[in-house]
Amino acid sequence: MIQWIAMDLDGTLTNHQKKITKKTIEALIEAQKQGVRLLLISGRIYEGMVNEAKQLQMDQYHGLIVSHNGAKVTDFQTKEVLFEKRLAKSLALELLHDLENMPIYPIIDGNGTLWVRSEKTHRLQIETRVLHTPYRCVDSWEQVLQKGPYKILLSARPRVFEKRIAPILEKYQNQMKMAFSTPFYLEVTALEVGKKEALENLSQMFQVPMSNIMAFGDGL
């Protein structure tokens, strides 16, 4: 018996135009009416998933938004954060300082605003458009990071990563999870964070067997 349907967002639930088709929306709303719970799982920030969750009426059926590659889980109806796992603040700041003089640009979720150090951040305009969120240039990371971030998205041209990122990967490989989602994005989270890990944790939390979960997408 299927109790949950868990779906990655970009390239799975959405098409090449980053839209959910009408047929898919209707089918998933009907599934919820039949008692199936929906989970959206993505590397996006929470605010960047709200539009799709609203289209699916997940606010009426306690749908779960699993954002930041699994670092944060939110009940979309109550807005309660059910689980979170942040990078250690000191470790995040150390990484950010190591990147200061490199053409590799960090993007951090600042409660629905994308924090960056420069307007020249690679693909910044694309990120703000896709996520429906504004950005803010900050003077220093110490001023804005009151807690460790859920995720640090590193953006750069592929050839820059090829030439410059190896020492960073080597230094932090045992301290944080670092994985390329595209040739121009390197996603950084706590070691324990992952889409599959989040789904397994939720399965245990709600006592829903993994065999009763239909999952679609990379990393699931």
Side-chain angles (χ1 to χ4, degrees), residues 89-102 104 106 108 117 139-143 145 152 154 168 171-172:
K89 178 181 174 180
S90 59
L91 189 61
L93 287 173
E94 183 178 350
L95 170 64
L96 294 167
H97 289 155
D98 286 346
L99 296 168
E100 280 290 334
N101 297 315
M102 294 187 187
I104 297 174
I108 297 177
R117 288 295 310 278
D139 294 328
S140 75
W141 294 117
E142 288 87 351
Q143 289 180 2
L145 284 181
I152 300 173
L154 302 181
I168 297 294
K171 177 178 179 179
Y172 293 101

Short mmCIF file of all heavy atoms in Angstrom, two decimals, residues 89-102 104 106 108 117 139-143 145 152 154 168 171-172:
data_model
loop_
_atom_site.label_atom_id
_atom_site.label_comp_id
_atom_site.label_asym_id
_atom_site.label_seq_id
_atom_site.Cartn_x
_atom_site.Cartn_y
_atom_site.Cartn_z
N LYS A 89 28.74 26.35 12.37
CA LYS A 89 29.00 27.74 12.00
C LYS A 89 30.50 28.00 11.80
O LYS A 89 30.90 28.63 10.82
CB LYS A 89 28.45 28.68 13.08
CG LYS A 89 28.71 30.15 12.81
CD LYS A 89 28.16 31.02 13.93
CE LYS A 89 28.54 32.47 13.73
NZ LYS A 89 28.00 33.34 14.84
N SER A 90 31.32 27.52 12.72
CA SER A 90 32.76 27.76 12.63
C SER A 90 33.35 27.14 11.37
O SER A 90 34.21 27.73 10.70
CB SER A 90 33.47 27.21 13.87
OG SER A 90 33.24 25.81 14.01
N LEU A 91 32.87 25.96 11.03
CA LEU A 91 33.37 25.27 9.84
C LEU A 91 32.92 25.99 8.57
O LEU A 91 33.69 26.16 7.61
CB LEU A 91 32.88 23.82 9.82
CG LEU A 91 33.47 22.90 8.77
CD1 LEU A 91 34.98 22.77 8.94
CD2 LEU A 91 32.82 21.51 8.85
N ALA A 92 31.66 26.45 8.56
CA ALA A 92 31.15 27.19 7.40
C ALA A 92 31.95 28.47 7.19
O ALA A 92 32.32 28.80 6.06
CB ALA A 92 29.68 27.51 7.61
N LEU A 93 32.23 29.20 8.26
CA LEU A 93 32.99 30.44 8.14
C LEU A 93 34.42 30.18 7.66
O LEU A 93 34.97 30.95 6.87
CB LEU A 93 33.01 31.18 9.48
CG LEU A 93 31.70 31.84 9.89
CD1 LEU A 93 31.79 32.39 11.31
CD2 LEU A 93 31.31 32.95 8.92
N GLU A 94 35.00 29.10 8.11
CA GLU A 94 36.35 28.75 7.65
C GLU A 94 36.36 28.50 6.14
O GLU A 94 37.24 29.00 5.42
CB GLU A 94 36.85 27.51 8.39
CG GLU A 94 38.28 27.12 8.03
CD GLU A 94 38.77 25.91 8.81
OE1 GLU A 94 38.08 25.48 9.76
OE2 GLU A 94 39.84 25.38 8.46
N LEU A 95 35.38 27.76 5.66
CA LEU A 95 35.28 27.51 4.23
C LEU A 95 35.07 28.81 3.47
O LEU A 95 35.73 29.07 2.44
CB LEU A 95 34.13 26.55 3.94
CG LEU A 95 33.74 26.38 2.47
CD1 LEU A 95 34.88 25.76 1.67
CD2 LEU A 95 32.47 25.54 2.34
N LEU A 96 34.18 29.66 3.94
CA LEU A 96 33.89 30.92 3.27
C LEU A 96 35.12 31.81 3.21
O LEU A 96 35.36 32.50 2.20
CB LEU A 96 32.73 31.62 3.97
CG LEU A 96 31.38 30.90 3.86
CD1 LEU A 96 30.37 31.50 4.85
CD2 LEU A 96 30.83 30.96 2.44
N HIS A 97 35.91 31.80 4.26
CA HIS A 97 37.14 32.59 4.26
C HIS A 97 38.15 32.02 3.26
O HIS A 97 38.86 32.78 2.58
CB HIS A 97 37.75 32.62 5.66
CG HIS A 97 36.97 33.45 6.62
ND1 HIS A 97 37.00 33.25 8.00
CD2 HIS A 97 36.13 34.49 6.43
CE1 HIS A 97 36.21 34.12 8.59
NE2 HIS A 97 35.67 34.89 7.66
N ASP A 98 38.23 30.72 3.15
CA ASP A 98 39.15 30.10 2.20
C ASP A 98 38.81 30.46 0.75
O ASP A 98 39.68 30.44 -0.12
CB ASP A 98 39.12 28.57 2.35
CG ASP A 98 39.84 28.09 3.59
OD1 ASP A 98 40.59 28.89 4.19
OD2 ASP A 98 39.66 26.91 3.97
N LEU A 99 37.54 30.78 0.51
CA LEU A 99 37.09 31.09 -0.85
C LEU A 99 37.16 32.57 -1.18
O LEU A 99 36.88 32.97 -2.32
CB LEU A 99 35.64 30.60 -1.03
CG LEU A 99 35.42 29.09 -0.94
CD1 LEU A 99 33.93 28.80 -0.84
CD2 LEU A 99 36.03 28.38 -2.14
N GLU A 100 37.52 33.41 -0.21
CA GLU A 100 37.44 34.86 -0.37
C GLU A 100 38.12 35.38 -1.63
O GLU A 100 37.62 36.27 -2.30
CB GLU A 100 38.03 35.56 0.85
CG GLU A 100 37.09 35.61 2.05
CD GLU A 100 35.91 36.56 1.82
OE1 GLU A 100 36.05 37.51 1.02
OE2 GLU A 100 34.86 36.36 2.43
N ASN A 101 39.28 34.86 -1.95
CA ASN A 101 40.04 35.39 -3.08
C ASN A 101 39.96 34.52 -4.32
O ASN A 101 40.80 34.63 -5.22
CB ASN A 101 41.51 35.57 -2.66
CG ASN A 101 41.66 36.59 -1.54
OD1 ASN A 101 41.06 37.67 -1.57
ND2 ASN A 101 42.45 36.25 -0.53
N MET A 102 38.95 33.69 -4.38
CA MET A 102 38.74 32.85 -5.53
C MET A 102 37.49 33.30 -6.29
O MET A 102 36.54 33.81 -5.69
CB MET A 102 38.54 31.39 -5.11
CG MET A 102 39.74 30.73 -4.48
SD MET A 102 39.41 28.96 -4.22
CE MET A 102 40.87 28.48 -3.30
N ILE A 104 35.01 31.85 -7.02
CA ILE A 104 34.00 30.85 -6.68
C ILE A 104 33.06 31.53 -5.68
O ILE A 104 33.50 31.99 -4.63
CB ILE A 104 34.63 29.59 -6.06
CG1 ILE A 104 35.54 28.91 -7.08
CG2 ILE A 104 33.54 28.62 -5.58
CD1 ILE A 104 36.32 27.74 -6.52
N PRO A 106 29.93 31.92 -3.11
CA PRO A 106 28.95 31.27 -2.22
C PRO A 106 27.59 31.95 -2.29
O PRO A 106 27.49 33.18 -2.40
CB PRO A 106 29.56 31.44 -0.82
CG PRO A 106 31.00 31.84 -1.06
CD PRO A 106 31.00 32.58 -2.36
N ILE A 108 24.02 31.66 0.03
CA ILE A 108 23.49 31.09 1.27
C ILE A 108 22.06 31.58 1.50
O ILE A 108 21.75 32.75 1.28
CB ILE A 108 24.38 31.47 2.48
CG1 ILE A 108 25.79 30.86 2.30
CG2 ILE A 108 23.77 31.00 3.79
CD1 ILE A 108 26.76 31.22 3.41
N ARG A 117 28.13 37.75 -1.56
CA ARG A 117 29.08 38.82 -1.29
C ARG A 117 29.22 39.76 -2.48
O ARG A 117 29.73 40.88 -2.32
CB ARG A 117 30.46 38.23 -0.95
CG ARG A 117 30.56 37.56 0.41
CD ARG A 117 30.39 38.54 1.56
NE ARG A 117 31.23 39.72 1.44
CZ ARG A 117 32.51 39.76 1.79
NH1 ARG A 117 33.10 38.69 2.29
NH2 ARG A 117 33.20 40.87 1.64
N ASP A 139 28.19 42.48 3.67
CA ASP A 139 29.56 42.98 3.84
C ASP A 139 30.50 41.90 4.35
O ASP A 139 31.67 41.86 3.96
CB ASP A 139 29.57 44.17 4.81
CG ASP A 139 28.83 45.38 4.24
OD1 ASP A 139 28.84 45.55 3.01
OD2 ASP A 139 28.23 46.12 5.04
N SER A 140 29.97 41.06 5.23
CA SER A 140 30.80 39.97 5.75
C SER A 140 29.89 38.84 6.20
O SER A 140 28.76 39.07 6.62
CB SER A 140 31.67 40.44 6.92
OG SER A 140 30.90 40.61 8.10
N TRP A 141 30.39 37.63 6.11
CA TRP A 141 29.59 36.47 6.52
C TRP A 141 29.40 36.44 8.03
O TRP A 141 28.36 36.01 8.52
CB TRP A 141 30.27 35.18 6.05
CG TRP A 141 30.32 35.03 4.56
CD1 TRP A 141 31.42 34.97 3.77
CD2 TRP A 141 29.20 34.92 3.67
NE1 TRP A 141 31.07 34.84 2.45
CE2 TRP A 141 29.72 34.80 2.36
CE3 TRP A 141 27.82 34.92 3.85
CZ2 TRP A 141 28.89 34.68 1.24
CZ3 TRP A 141 27.00 34.80 2.74
CH2 TRP A 141 27.53 34.68 1.45
N GLU A 142 30.38 36.95 8.78
CA GLU A 142 30.24 36.95 10.24
C GLU A 142 29.05 37.78 10.70
O GLU A 142 28.42 37.46 11.71
CB GLU A 142 31.53 37.50 10.89
CG GLU A 142 32.71 36.56 10.84
CD GLU A 142 33.51 36.72 9.54
OE1 GLU A 142 33.03 37.43 8.63
OE2 GLU A 142 34.59 36.12 9.45
N GLN A 143 28.75 38.83 9.97
CA GLN A 143 27.65 39.72 10.37
C GLN A 143 26.28 39.07 10.22
O GLN A 143 25.36 39.39 10.96
CB GLN A 143 27.70 41.01 9.54
CG GLN A 143 28.85 41.92 9.88
CD GLN A 143 28.85 43.18 9.03
OE1 GLN A 143 27.95 43.38 8.20
NE2 GLN A 143 29.83 44.05 9.22
N LEU A 145 25.69 35.44 9.63
CA LEU A 145 25.52 34.05 10.04
C LEU A 145 25.44 33.94 11.56
O LEU A 145 26.45 33.83 12.25
CB LEU A 145 26.68 33.19 9.51
CG LEU A 145 26.67 32.83 8.03
CD1 LEU A 145 27.86 31.95 7.68
CD2 LEU A 145 25.37 32.11 7.66
N ILE A 152 25.55 25.54 1.76
CA ILE A 152 26.27 26.58 1.03
C ILE A 152 26.32 26.13 -0.42
O ILE A 152 26.83 25.05 -0.73
CB ILE A 152 27.70 26.79 1.56
CG1 ILE A 152 27.66 27.21 3.04
CG2 ILE A 152 28.42 27.85 0.73
CD1 ILE A 152 29.04 27.28 3.68
N LEU A 154 27.96 26.75 -3.89
CA LEU A 154 29.10 27.41 -4.52
C LEU A 154 28.86 27.45 -6.03
O LEU A 154 28.59 26.41 -6.65
CB LEU A 154 30.40 26.66 -4.21
CG LEU A 154 30.74 26.50 -2.73
CD1 LEU A 154 32.06 25.78 -2.56
CD2 LEU A 154 30.78 27.87 -2.04
N ILE A 168 40.32 22.68 -1.92
CA ILE A 168 39.18 22.84 -1.03
C ILE A 168 38.53 21.48 -0.77
O ILE A 168 38.21 21.13 0.39
CB ILE A 168 38.15 23.82 -1.63
CG1 ILE A 168 38.76 25.21 -1.78
CG2 ILE A 168 36.88 23.86 -0.78
CD1 ILE A 168 39.10 25.90 -0.50
N LYS A 171 40.75 19.46 1.58
CA LYS A 171 40.78 19.95 2.96
C LYS A 171 39.53 19.56 3.74
O LYS A 171 39.62 19.17 4.91
CB LYS A 171 40.94 21.46 2.97
CG LYS A 171 40.90 22.07 4.38
CD LYS A 171 41.11 23.58 4.35
CE LYS A 171 41.04 24.16 5.77
NZ LYS A 171 41.27 25.64 5.78
N TYR A 172 38.36 19.62 3.09
CA TYR A 172 37.11 19.47 3.81
C TYR A 172 36.40 18.13 3.57
O TYR A 172 35.29 17.93 4.04
CB TYR A 172 36.15 20.61 3.43
CG TYR A 172 36.61 21.96 3.91
CD1 TYR A 172 37.23 22.85 3.05
CD2 TYR A 172 36.43 22.34 5.25
CE1 TYR A 172 37.65 24.09 3.49
CE2 TYR A 172 36.85 23.58 5.69
CZ TYR A 172 37.47 24.45 4.81
OH TYR A 172 37.89 25.69 5.26
#
